[in-house]
Amino acid sequence: MAHWFSGEYRSSNPDVCMDPNSETSEAKKQAKRIPGEAEFWLFIMGDLLVFTVLFLFYVFQRKNNLAQFQVDQALLSQNIGLLNTLILLTSSLLVAIGVQRLRLQRQNVSRFLIGGIFFGIFFVVVKALEYREKLVSGIDLSGEYSFFMLYFAMTGIHLAHVILGILVLLIALNLSRKEQPIRYLKFVECSAIFWHMVDLLWLVIFALLYVIR
Amino acid sequence: MYKEEKYLAIIWLVLIGVSLLSWKAGASSVSAAPLWLVVPILLLTFTKVRFVVLDFMEVRHAPIQLRLILEAWLALTCLALVLGYSLDLCLPTTGNAFD
């Protein structure tokens, strides 16, 4: 990862460092390119597979204990789930625009990244309040693989990803404010890809835990 | 706002709209979600996931190998979950669930 920081980014990337209005650049923009680093995608895919196993485990545990899961699931607020979904989608949009602005060397990259980070922190606050409310209300955590055990496991692992994502975006923000921030494009792209993965995992968690009862 | 950003904003609006739709569908079900509701909710969810992958992660313009791997993950995960819920709903809801 070190070379992303060291300014080694030499563009084989057709989108970068060209007049965006010229025909050549327009044609090259159509060329296929890997966003971020190829190796980083391996990590993303590994993470996606881990979550797939978690999702399937949840569905099969629900099958084994449907009645109790339905009682417990009814205690979750769908409105809070929706709020967190809207927060993460908005955060993802801002980060995606930030990355695009950096690549095309436009203004206000950091403003969009700050917006994305702000919504990420907002997500953590809402989740913390939800956890607090659940723990105070004395929900049932007993039993092997009860709904709330799986709820805390899945949302907890996801929350750890959110916090890691915020930290990585803070580094990306710092790099985007340096001179010639385009040198750090690969790192910023990778941090954005990680952030969008956090977003898409939440979309599935929202459907499984909050919507399908 | 630049042209590419308008496109991203439209995708975001679609994602918000679809999220509201699934939230509404989930909120209106009083008892166990029936399969005819579970399957569309999962399909809508993975349609959203696909937009995030293709447009926010920019895989739409990535080499075809990367796109195929991610599309395969999407389709297989969605299928596995649909099957998981289908098996679920074939089981009786009473009986030895608490044993």
Side-chain angles (χ1 to χ4, degrees):
Chain A
M1 203 185 273
H3 64 286
W4 297 341
F5 290 100
S6 63
E8 277 184 30
Y9 175 72
R10 286 182 220 89
S11 178
S12 55
N13 170 2
D15 293 350
V16 177
C17 308
M18 284 185 288
D19 171 10
N21 298 319
S22 77
E23 270 183 38
T24 352
S25 119
E26 202 55 44
K28 285 190 177 175
K29 234 189 259 179
Q30 302 304 319
K32 302 284 182 194
R33 59 175 289 272
I34 289 194
E37 296 274 358
E39 299 85 347
F40 188 72
W41 280 100
L42 286 177
F43 164 72
I44 293 288
M45 283 164 197
D47 227 9
L48 288 177
L49 284 179
V50 169
F51 270 92
T52 303
V53 173
L54 264 178
F55 296 152
L56 290 173
F57 185 73
Y58 166 81
V59 171
F60 284 102
Q61 287 306 322
R62 183 178 179 273
K63 179 185 87 174
N64 289 336
N65 202 352
L66 184 60
Q68 189 58 45
F69 265 55
Q70 282 172 330
V71 171
D72 288 345
Q73 260 185 300
L75 298 172
L76 273 192
S77 162
Q78 287 184 322
N79 295 347
I80 288 183
L82 176 71
L83 175 65
N84 265 346
T85 305
L86 303 185
I87 289 171
L88 271 195
L89 284 174
T90 308
S91 177
S92 253
L93 170 72
L94 295 174
V95 169
I97 293 178
V99 170
Q100 212 163 58
R101 289 209 168 194
L102 175 63
R103 185 179 312 120
L104 299 173
Q105 306 197 59
R106 290 171 176 160
Q107 299 294 305
N108 298 330
V109 173
S110 54
R111 218 177 267 185
F112 282 93
L113 293 182
I114 289 171
I117 292 166
F118 168 79
F119 278 100
I121 294 170
F122 193 12
F123 178 94
V124 175
V125 171
V126 173
K127 187 101 308 270
L129 290 175
E130 190 189 27
Y131 278 174
R132 186 177 170 274
E133 193 261 325
K134 286 285 153 286
L135 292 172
V136 167
S137 68
I139 41 112
D140 181 22
L141 277 173
S142 64
E144 221 180 16
Y145 307 126
S146 65
F147 171 76
F148 276 109
M149 226 190 95
L150 290 175
Y151 158 82
F152 277 113
M154 280 162 75
T155 58
I157 295 172
H158 180 263
L159 186 62
H161 280 71
V162 174
I163 293 167
L164 180 62
I166 292 172
L167 294 177
V168 175
L169 281 177
L170 282 169
I171 298 172
L173 171 67
N174 185 38
L175 294 175
S176 76
R177 285 172 156 173
K178 290 188 186 292
E179 256 181 64
Q180 289 189 312
I182 191 71
R183 289 181 297 158
Y184 307 108
L185 179 67
K186 285 282 175 194
F187 181 85
V188 178
E189 277 186 344
C190 287
S191 53
I193 288 166
F194 183 78
W195 191 244
H196 300 313
M197 180 195 71
V198 167
D199 181 21
L200 75 83
L201 290 172
W202 177 257
L203 294 178
V204 184
I205 291 175
F206 173 58
L208 298 188
L209 298 187
Y210 293 82
V211 179
I212 301 172
R213 290 183 166 176
Chain B
M1 198 183 240
Y2 298 96
K3 193 179 75 183
E4 307 88 346
E5 292 170 9
K6 275 188 191 152
Y7 175 75
L8 287 177
I10 290 168
I11 298 291
W12 173 79
L13 270 178
V14 171
L15 291 171
I16 295 281
V18 175
S19 298
L20 288 170
L21 198 68
S22 10
W23 165 76
K24 183 81 188 140
S28 59
S29 62
V30 278
S31 56
L35 196 56
W36 62 261
L37 192 61
V38 170
V39 174
I41 288 173
L42 284 174
L43 288 179
L44 281 180
T45 299
F46 278 86
T47 307
K48 285 195 288 182
V49 170
R50 188 163 181 266
F51 273 122
V52 172
V53 169
L54 292 185
D55 295 305
F56 286 176
M57 287 176 153
E58 303 180 304
V59 170
R60 198 181 287 281
H61 304 295
I64 191 72
Q65 296 90 330
L66 179 63
R67 182 170 174 172
L68 279 179
I69 292 171
L70 287 163
E71 299 251 26
W73 170 78
L74 264 166
L76 290 175
T77 307
C78 185
L79 180 70
L81 290 174
V82 167
L83 286 177
Y85 276 103
S86 312
L87 293 173
D88 181 351
L89 293 160
C90 292
L91 288 179
T93 52
T94 53
N96 61 354
F98 293 102
D99 286 355

